Amino acid sequence: MNTVTELGPGNGRVVLVSGASRGIGLNIARTLLQQGWKVSAGSRSPIAELSEFEQTQFHWASYDAFDPDSEAQWVESAAQHFGRVDALVLNAGIISRSSVVDASSQEFDDVFQVNVKSPMRLAQLAWPHLKAAGEGKIVVMASLAGKRVRYADGGLYSMSKAAVLMLAHGLRHAGEPHNIRCTAICPGFVATDMAANVGDDIQDKLTRPEDVARIVATVLS
């Protein structure tokens, strides 16, 4: 089992990371664990890549953005496991390659359910714990797509990421009286499976997920 001999920047604080089973989320969870954070990871299946960490530092819970009950159960189980929640990383998301002309009503609902509604509900559920922490922090993984539509087939995805960027601003204002800080991270293309279909001319320019993870760790610390 892996142990952290020096607490480091995390100093034993507790953070919840959604969508931590792969890509950016997995790298965020691993980086925070290595820096001394206690991490509760929410995903649809257990995360074998993080099984090396002891239960005193790592907690996993089933989380499905389409299942609000799983959100409440995750937050509650993490709070019970560690005794507190200091931070929340809203990372889980899905891609869409539909234009705003072609997108169906069902796809719209699905994309906004995962990318916007579930993060908002998780923030609401974690809010009492973040207030109790005295210095709560939220990181919202938005996207450069939330600031502009790069091409027609990215229209629906950009709409959802613009909405989640506004969620971050809303959380920031709501958190100010309670010393809860919210920061949105807006990377461009990141070298994960969500960017598998980008052109060969772009592949070698992709941001590495471990670099995004270091940025998130810096923001939280």
Side-chain angles (χ1 to χ4, degrees):
M1 303 293 280
N2 188 29
T3 58
V4 177
T5 55
E6 296 183 6
L7 286 178
N11 199 29
R13 289 175 293 171
V14 178
V15 57
L16 276 63
V17 182
S18 69
S21 62
R22 57 192 175 93
I24 294 174
L26 177 60
N27 278 271
I28 290 172
R30 181 184 290 115
T31 296
L32 293 175
L33 285 163
Q34 291 170 343
Q35 291 192 7
W37 284 83
K38 295 179 179 179
V39 173
S40 177
S43 61
R44 284 185 287 186
S45 57
I47 307 169
E49 292 86 347
L50 299 177
S51 61
E52 67 200 71
F53 293 94
E54 296 182 352
Q55 291 185 0
T56 54
Q57 192 183 5
F58 177 68
H59 168 263
W60 173 83
S62 175
Y63 158 68
D64 186 337
F66 290 102
D67 179 9
D69 288 342
S70 75
E71 299 163 352
Q73 292 166 7
W74 172 28
V75 174
E76 180 61 24
S77 67
Q80 289 186 0
H81 184 84
F82 289 122
R84 60 185 294 159
V85 174
D86 299 276
L88 177 63
V89 178
L90 298 170
N91 166 75
I94 57 174
I95 193 71
S96 167
R97 295 186 174 88
S98 294
S99 73
V100 295
V101 175
D102 297 327
S104 67
S105 178
Q106 185 61 57
E107 184 178 9
F108 178 95
D109 290 345
D110 289 348
V111 170
F112 274 74
Q113 171 74 13
V114 177
N115 292 359
V116 185
K117 291 180 70 175
S118 183
M120 184 176 71
R121 290 194 300 257
L122 284 173
Q124 292 170 343
L125 290 164
W127 202 254
H129 302 288
L130 297 175
K131 288 171 63 176
E135 194 177 29
K137 294 176 182 174
I138 302 174
V139 171
V140 175
M141 291 306 303
S143 171
L144 187 58
K147 299 184 176 185
R148 52 93 173 102
V149 180
R150 189 171 184 270
Y151 49 88
D153 289 347
L156 179 60
Y157 180 72
S158 288
M159 286 177 64
S160 73
K161 286 302 183 178
V164 84
L165 182 56
M166 292 305 104
L167 170 63
H169 283 295
L171 292 171
R172 177 172 60 86
H173 285 292
E176 187 173 1
H178 310 291
N179 202 27
I180 298 173
R181 186 177 70 188
C182 182
T183 304
I185 307 294
C186 299
F189 285 120
V190 181
T192 68
D193 54 359
M194 291 180 69
N197 293 329
V198 301
D200 293 338
D201 58 324
I202 298 178
Q203 284 288 343
D204 62 346
K205 301 177 183 177
L206 298 181
T207 300
R208 306 303 304 175
E210 55 268 27
D211 293 333
V212 178
R214 282 194 289 269
I215 292 171
V216 172
T218 298
V219 167
L220 289 177
S221 64

